[in-house]
Amino acid sequence: MAKNTFRQPERIAKQKKQRRKLRLASWLNDFIGLDRLFGEDNAWPIQHIDRILWVTFLLILYIGLNHNAERLVRRNQRTKAQVDELRSQFTVLQADFNKSGKQSEISKRVEILGLADSQTPPNKIVVRTNEH
């Protein structure tokens, strides 16, 4: 059987990846200077711990206030949707109430009880003011 000469063995590929990672880490160290910043003989982080803690506190406060603002916006949107729903229910109920107060609607409901509209006009009551 023929041997595949184009495919590299796995151990050579792993060694290349490790070398690539090491090159990237060394380039970052040279470019940014992580050893200089956090090395064993560097006292910078200890000298500036108060500023580091202050910036950390401000970042935590910023994140917390951002979450709180987003929560308030969501609550506001939910409340607005509920108010719109209640407003539409009120409009429907008000229209039904206004319709039910009309004489034609009242007479329809009273017909079930056997009552009907009066066909004779009402008697006029006259009060004389000069008689005591």
Side-chain angles (χ1 to χ4, degrees):
M1 187 180 249
K3 185 175 182 182
N4 187 357
T5 58
F6 293 106
R7 185 174 174 185
Q8 297 177 351
E10 291 181 17
R11 59 186 169 96
I12 295 174
K14 286 182 183 178
Q15 288 175 355
K16 282 187 178 182
K17 285 183 184 179
Q18 287 176 353
R19 272 192 261 141
R20 192 176 303 147
K21 285 181 185 178
L22 291 176
R23 275 189 276 159
L24 180 64
S26 66
W27 180 81
L28 281 174
N29 191 20
D30 292 340
F31 185 71
I32 298 173
L34 294 176
D35 282 344
R36 289 180 296 200
L37 186 61
F38 297 108
E40 294 178 11
D41 57 344
N42 191 0
W44 184 87
I46 295 171
Q47 290 173 350
H48 301 287
I49 191 72
D50 55 345
R51 292 179 184 159
I52 293 171
L53 291 177
W54 177 247
V55 170
T56 305
F57 170 73
L58 289 177
L59 286 173
I60 291 171
L61 184 68
Y62 174 76
I63 291 170
L65 291 175
N66 198 11
H67 283 298
N68 187 35
E70 289 175 1
R71 182 178 51 85
L72 290 175
V73 167
R74 285 192 303 271
R75 186 188 303 168
N76 193 10
Q77 289 173 347
R78 268 196 314 267
T79 306
K80 186 176 180 180
Q82 289 174 352
V83 166
D84 290 342
E85 181 65 28
L86 290 173
R87 184 179 291 129
S88 65
Q89 288 177 358
F90 169 75
T91 305
V92 169
L93 289 175
Q94 186 179 23
D96 289 344
F97 177 73
N98 291 338
K99 183 181 175 186
S100 67
K102 294 184 179 183
Q103 182 182 359
S104 60
E105 294 296 320
I106 293 173
S107 63
K108 286 179 189 176
R109 282 196 240 141
V110 178
E111 280 180 356
I112 299 170
L113 301 174
L115 300 174
D117 290 336
S118 175
Q119 300 298 325
T120 60
N123 294 330
K124 186 175 184 181
I125 300 174
V126 179
V127 178
R128 294 182 189 168
T129 57
N130 48 352
E131 289 183 14
H132 289 113

